[in-house]
């Protein structure tokens, strides 16, 4: 594909995206929580996470910002509450901490399983964040104890990190 | 420090180094095994891995090469045999497969714990591989079930990836 090396790294890595952004920008990344709520799983989410419809799921939408508050990456995640330990859940709900750092703090062993990478047009919500840009998107799962602990969609403009 | 972004990524990432090199070079990375042997742990290795002196350890030294067989990274690792499953052990001893790919194949959940990053002069062995270059080095552990499954030293010339 016609992407920069850093775009490819962001899309393909099984390591921490926050670490990559901090190296790229040369500064700590900030987190802005746009939305955070425990919801009953819809059919679609239940299917994705391999849980029952109606099971509690934490829905979290955050922006990773550079030190000047410019948005770098939009991340939406779903976590089945029943699969979280108490300490992990507290940190997750408190928000404003990147998921990679929460996993590290709680010394959680996991693997990252990349599901898919694609391009899409911005919808109205994304236009408010990044402007009218084509987006690069990936979806991956954090697997812990052989189950999906978190599924995450990360989006950034195709014009970023070039 | 005065390093390139890609050098920093290689030294700091908690993701697969092979994936990073494949994006950087644009081609699959090759592995050349320089040394592979099960040895009794010395005092130093036992201490590092938190096992007993004399316990069996797999010592493995490989080069990651680009598609033209140029050396990219030198990696030396130690794995306590008692902490490996049969399938993982077979693949590890067969060599010529990157450790990240072996972990992925066996769906092993783990965390990477970075111990240290430093610079050093090349010794005679390293000069034969990379020439007389200053080296960037890191040591990290692969932690699985709260124990060190692998400790790895990765080295590459400070003049690479600039």
């Amino acid at each position: 594909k016609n992407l920069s090396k850093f775009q490819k790294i962001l899309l393909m890595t099984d390591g921490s995206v926050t670490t990559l952004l901090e190296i790229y920008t040369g500064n700590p990344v900030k987190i802005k929580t746009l939305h955070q709520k425990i919801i009953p799983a819809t059919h679609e989410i239940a299917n994705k996470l391999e849980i029952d419809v109606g099971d509690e799921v934490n829905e979290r939408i955050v922006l990773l910002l550079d030190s000047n508050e410019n948005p770098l990456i939009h991340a939406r995640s779903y976590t089945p509450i029943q699969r979280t330990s108490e300490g992990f859940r507290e940190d997750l709900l408190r928000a404003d901490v990147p998921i990679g750092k929460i996993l590290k703090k709680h010394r959680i062993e996991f693997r990252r399983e990349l599901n898919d990478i694609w391009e899409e047009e911005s919808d109205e919500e994304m236009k408010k964040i990044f402007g009218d840009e084509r987006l690069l998107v990936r979806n991956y799962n954090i697997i812990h104890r052989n189950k999906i602990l978190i599924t995450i969609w990360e989006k950034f403009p195709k014009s970023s990190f070039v």
Side-chain angles (χ1 to χ4, degrees), chain A:
Chain A
K1 285 186 202 165
N2 207 9
L3 305 179
S4 76
K5 285 194 204 315
F6 193 75
Q7 288 178 329
K8 287 182 190 169
I9 290 172
L10 283 176
L11 293 170
M12 299 284 292
T13 187
D14 61 348
S16 159
V17 163
T18 303
T19 300
L20 293 173
L21 293 176
E22 294 188 334
I23 292 170
Y24 188 86
T25 65
N27 282 300
V29 159
K30 296 181 185 176
I31 297 259
K32 181 177 172 184
T33 304
L34 300 182
H35 171 89
Q36 157 98 38
K37 197 174 180 186
I38 295 177
I39 58 167
T42 61
H43 184 82
E44 189 189 17
I45 295 292
N47 214 24
K48 180 85 184 166
L49 293 171
E50 297 164 2
I51 56 175
D52 292 329
V53 172
D55 283 357
E56 285 190 322
V57 169
N58 187 57
E59 183 180 54
R60 187 190 206 228
I61 304 177
V62 303
L63 292 179
L64 305 188
L65 310 170
D66 69 15
S67 54
N68 297 321
E69 313 272 329
N70 297 311
L72 298 169
I73 288 190
H74 176 281
R76 181 164 56 95
S77 67
Y78 294 89
T79 306
I81 294 296
Q82 70 211 50
R83 292 181 185 156
T84 58
S85 66
E86 195 181 327
F88 177 81
R89 188 163 61 244
E90 276 174 18
D91 281 348
L92 187 72
L93 300 187
R94 195 175 300 134
D96 290 354
V97 179
I99 281 169
K101 293 201 176 170
I102 301 175
L103 293 166
K104 193 159 287 179
K105 175 181 167 192
H106 294 279
R107 300 175 160 226
I108 293 173
E109 296 173 8
F110 62 94
R111 58 193 179 83
R112 280 188 176 84
E113 184 182 66
L114 184 58
N115 295 321
D116 207 359
I117 298 174
W118 67 92
E119 277 188 44
E120 65 183 31
E121 297 293 332
S122 285
D123 60 15
E124 290 310 311
E125 187 197 335
M126 295 303 292
K127 280 181 190 169
K128 284 180 208 158
I129 297 165
F130 291 119
D132 189 5
E133 298 283 344
R134 253 188 109 65
L135 301 172
L136 296 171
V137 189
R138 69 167 181 164
N139 170 243
Y140 63 96
N141 297 334
I142 302 281
I143 309 283
H144 176 60
R145 295 181 180 161
N146 296 313
K147 298 195 164 156
I148 302 169
L149 179 61
I150 320 177
T151 189
I152 305 178
W153 283 263
E154 290 172 345
K155 306 186 179 192
F156 61 87
K158 203 179 174 184
S159 57
S160 299
F161 312 115
V162 291

